[in-house]
Structures are given as C-alpha cells and as structure tokens.
Amino acid sequence: MDKSAAQNSAAFLYPPIDPFDQRMLEVGDGHTIYVEQCGNPAGIPVVVLHGGPGGGCSPAMRRYFDPAQYRVILFDQRGCGRSRPHANVDANTTWHLIRDIELIRTTLDIPRWIVFGGSWGATLALAYAQTHPDRAAYLVLRGVFMGTQTELDWFYGGGAGRFFPDLWARFVELIPEAERTDLVTAYHNRLFSGDMLAENRHARRWCNWENALASIETRSPGGESPSDYARAFARLENHYFANGCFFEQDGFLQSNAHTLADVPGTIVQGRYDMICPPKTAWDLSMVWPRGTLTLVPQAGHALSEPGISAELVRVTNTLRSEAVALGL
C-alpha cells in the first residue's frame, strides 16, 4: 500500500499503545509462543488471530479496539513471529493452534471472548468457534478464507493470475514448466529442500506474489520481504495448504457451519479482494444463521485497506455496548 493509503487507514484507528503484559507460553511439542495483552486489563476480552499461516501479529493490530474498553490479546502462532522454534512445521496443524488458543484463554482466566481474525485468521477463528462455540461470544472476520481446494486453485492455479499476468509470470518463473500444474507442491519441494539459499529465494517469491495482490492500491511486486519473515511465512503457509489446512474433508468449515447456530458475528469483505474472492464470504453468510456480511466497495484483501479498517473499527465500537448481552 502506498504512503497516502496507509495514512488514510491510520486515520480510522486508535492511537498506538504498548502491551501491559508480554510472555512466552510453553504449549508443548517443543513449541513456545509469544503472547501479549494490551488495553484495559478489566476490559472486554478479544483474541486477535493473525493471517498467513505464518504472518505473526503486529503493533497495528492493537489499534482496532478502544483501549479503554477492550482487553486485547495477540499472539504469534507456532513457528512464526517471536514464537520458537522459528519456521518450524513439526506439530504445527490447525488443531494444534486451536489447542493453543484454548491454553491462552485458560491461562489468562477468560471464560468467553470475542474472536477477531482475517484471511487465515478468519479460517482459524471459524475452526476454533466450531470446536468451542461456548467460548466464542462473537466472531469478527475479515477477508474470509475457508481452506478449500477451490480457493487454492484460484490463487495458486492461475485464476488470480489472469488478472495480473505480469505478476503471475514472476511467481511461476522459478518453477520448471513441467511442474507448474501444481505450484503448491513445486514450491513445497523447494521451501523444504534443506538448501537455505534456495529456501529463502523461493520464500521471498512466494511472499511477493501474495503481497502484491493484497491491496487495491498497489499492483507491483514491491520490495523483498526480509528473509527470516519470508521463510517462516512461506514454509508455514505452504505446509498448511499442501495438507488441506488439516481439515477432515474439503469444505469442512462450511459443512459444519450449523455448529455456529448460537454464535453471532460479522464478516467484513473487500469487494475487490483478489486473494480471497467475495464469493467465499457470501457463501458463508448464507449458511451461518447469525452471521452478517458487509461488502466494502473499493477495497481489496489487506487489513490496512482504509475501507476495511473503518468498518472493522465501527464493528468493534458497536460491540462495546453489546458486551453484557454477549456474556462478556
């Protein structure tokens, strides 16, 4: 996103804040995850689930909530950000992450909370809420991804590439033509080759393809992601996608949407999201009885899109007055 668009987005957000609590939490299987709390220690609890998988949380994510009213919990999922071991995919599945979220909740002595997540964070929020519907008081989802093969085919099978052939050509050029029918597998073989230079090179190219399409404002490859970040992001994301996000069947989340019958929520979706097209959010809203969909015009996928930021802050501001009714 260009500088002016970023400034426009920031205009809707609360001022930057520092955490009042930071800790490393041992979650088992050799993993330790970074957890922080911000805002009001006695406020409305909300857990923020970052994207990727492998994206890590950022200070900007604290700013979507009124710090006087919310107790904001952020964490880096296994293998990324400040969590350790870095870029590691052992014992790293959707179900491990759901277990981690529950461990954070019980460790912090929170009975129920709002679950806030975008892109892969929305996937994880849905999977968590379907597993623990009594703990999810409300879902705030952005840029919905349901972990289906159709969605992966769109982004890694050439669908989005039809709109951005120049950027697509850059994404596929590192892969021999004979392997381009399955780019997730082709990249997997290189991201887990054991050759650090090759892993970093392919990781940066994997990240650049996604980053270039995230915002409606920017349609160029942009700068290179730092190697450490790119390697964790690409390895974890590819690991999850190569394994169908570890769901029992394709379309798992949609087929289990009935478990959300008593869980209210809001979906905020960019009309021109090229990473997670709006059809997925629309389909979810059709089978989620208490889920409402807002399509944001002139917005793409990124959390930092001005229209997306404004709508998400509007939602969290509205929820301040509904906390008692939600049992928070």
Side-chain angles (χ1 to χ4, degrees):
M1 177 176 288
D2 63 29
K3 186 176 180 180
S4 62
Q7 290 172 338
N8 289 338
S9 176
F12 300 106
L13 306 181
Y14 285 93
I17 56 173
D18 293 323
F20 65 78
D21 173 50
Q22 294 173 290
R23 65 182 76 188
M24 299 298 293
L25 180 64
E26 292 187 10
V27 294
D29 311 304
H31 286 272
T32 304
I33 63 172
Y34 170 81
V35 181
E36 69 175 42
Q37 299 187 78
C38 312
N40 181 351
I44 303 163
V46 55
V47 62
V48 179
L49 307 181
H50 66 68
C57 60
S58 70
M61 294 176 183
R62 306 166 185 163
R63 301 178 60 190
Y64 288 80
F65 313 92
D66 179 350
Q69 298 293 323
Y70 279 98
R71 176 184 180 185
V72 186
I73 298 97
L74 298 93
F75 73 101
D76 291 331
Q77 296 161 26
R78 294 188 182 204
C80 67
R82 287 151 287 190
S83 296
R84 293 293 180 268
H86 191 68
N88 188 284
V89 300
D90 296 333
N92 198 331
T93 72
T94 304
W95 310 110
H96 286 99
L97 300 186
I98 289 174
R99 190 178 73 189
D100 294 348
I101 296 169
E102 271 296 274
L103 181 59
I104 293 169
R105 185 188 64 77
T106 57
T107 298
L108 300 180
D109 195 26
I110 297 172
R112 284 160 54 83
W113 50 10
I114 294 169
V115 184
F116 180 105
S119 195
W120 161 254
T123 320
L124 187 57
L126 287 165
Y128 172 79
Q130 290 183 6
T131 306
H132 300 286
D134 55 329
R135 302 304 181 187
Y138 197 96
L139 301 184
V140 181
L141 309 180
R142 184 267 312 168
V144 171
F145 172 63
M146 300 281 277
T148 67
Q149 191 59 48
T150 297
E151 292 166 289
L152 295 176
D153 289 344
W154 161 261
F155 200 63
Y156 298 108
R162 291 176 178 267
F163 288 86
F164 306 100
D166 51 337
L167 305 182
W168 178 252
R170 181 172 169 78
F171 178 59
V172 303
E173 70 179 352
L174 296 183
I175 306 299
E177 284 195 31
E179 297 182 58
R180 292 180 187 175
T181 56
D182 186 353
L183 287 164
V184 171
T185 297
Y187 264 91
H188 184 86
N189 293 337
R190 291 156 178 83
L191 290 169
F192 295 90
S193 67
D195 180 337
M196 187 64 74
L197 289 177
E199 288 185 8
N200 285 338
R201 183 186 184 201
H202 287 86
R204 286 193 294 269
R205 195 63 61 92
W206 177 279
C207 290
N208 286 349
W209 164 240
E210 184 164 332
N211 290 341
L213 270 64
S215 172
I216 198 171
E217 297 290 340
T218 302
R219 298 302 186 203
S220 63
E224 294 283 345
S225 299
S227 293
D228 283 350
Y229 173 86
R231 185 167 178 269
F233 185 94
R235 280 168 58 94
L236 267 68
E237 192 168 74
N238 182 279
H239 164 70
Y240 274 75
F241 295 168
N243 287 283
C245 294
F246 299 94
F247 294 133
E248 295 176 7
Q249 63 193 47
D250 195 35
F252 176 84
L253 292 177
Q254 183 155 334
S255 65
N256 286 280
H258 63 275
T259 62
L260 301 177
D262 297 324
V263 181
T266 299
I267 305 165
V268 177
Q269 180 72 37
R271 172 72 74 177
Y272 297 104
D273 189 333
M274 282 289 168
I275 296 176
C276 298
K279 179 65 161 59
T280 303
W282 174 265
D283 289 346
L284 173 61
S285 72
M286 292 295 99
V287 295
W288 182 10
R290 301 188 65 188
T292 61
L293 171 64
T294 298
L295 287 167
V296 181
Q298 297 300 315
H301 182 72
L303 173 64
S304 56
E305 295 273 59
I308 299 291
S309 290
E311 183 60 23
L312 288 170
V313 171
R314 187 196 68 78
V315 171
T316 63
N317 284 346
T318 299
L319 288 174
R320 291 176 303 187
S321 62
E322 300 178 9
V324 174
L326 293 171
L328 297 172

